[in-house]
Amino acid sequence: MHCLKYGLTVHNVLRVRAVLLDGTPVEFGSEALDAPGLDMLAVMIGSEGMLAVVTEVTVRLIPKPQLARVIMVSFDDVKSGG
């Protein structure tokens, strides 16, 4: 359900700092919303830790809404609800 509300993980991660197998520190992405070049950040996130050891992650924070309400709606059948 969080994917519907907040988007995929790749949409909320701005930067990843990691260490490769040979000990080389690397950085993917940036603190800006868009970085030039190939999208290696998406590859790193998709690998789920298989390509490097992640040491730091910068995420995009979404502000808490000022007001939240629950709404309940009922329909006679699924077709009318759609």
Side-chain angles (χ1 to χ4, degrees), residues 5 27 30 35 40-41 48-49 61 69-70 76-77 80:
K5 186 173 183 180
E27 182 175 320
S30 68
M40 296 306 291
L41 177 62
E48 297 181 349
L61 298 178
R69 294 185 181 173
V70 176
D76 293 334
D77 56 27
S80 63

Side-chain angles (χ1 to χ4, degrees), residues 44-58:
M44 184 65 193
I45 292 169
S47 74
E48 297 181 349
M50 297 290 288
L51 299 177
V53 177
V54 176
T55 58
E56 183 180 326
V57 177
T58 303

Side-chain angles (χ1 to χ4, degrees), residues 2-82:
H2 286 165
C3 287
L4 296 175
K5 186 173 183 180
Y6 301 112
L8 301 172
T9 302
V10 73
H11 298 142
N12 294 309
V13 174
L14 298 176
R15 181 179 65 181
V16 171
R17 288 185 179 172
V19 178
L20 298 178
L21 183 63
D22 64 355
T24 307
V26 291
E27 182 175 320
F28 302 102
S30 68
E31 291 186 4
L33 292 177
D34 195 15
L38 296 174
D39 191 9
M40 296 306 291
L41 177 62
V43 173
M44 184 65 193
I45 292 169
S47 74
E48 297 181 349
M50 297 290 288
L51 299 177
V53 177
V54 176
T55 58
E56 183 180 326
V57 177
T58 303
V59 296
R60 180 176 61 117
L61 298 178
I62 300 172
K64 184 177 178 183
Q66 294 179 359
L67 178 65
R69 294 185 181 173
V70 176
I71 299 174
M72 185 172 174
V73 180
S74 63
F75 296 96
D76 293 334
D77 56 27
V78 174
K79 185 175 180 180
S80 63

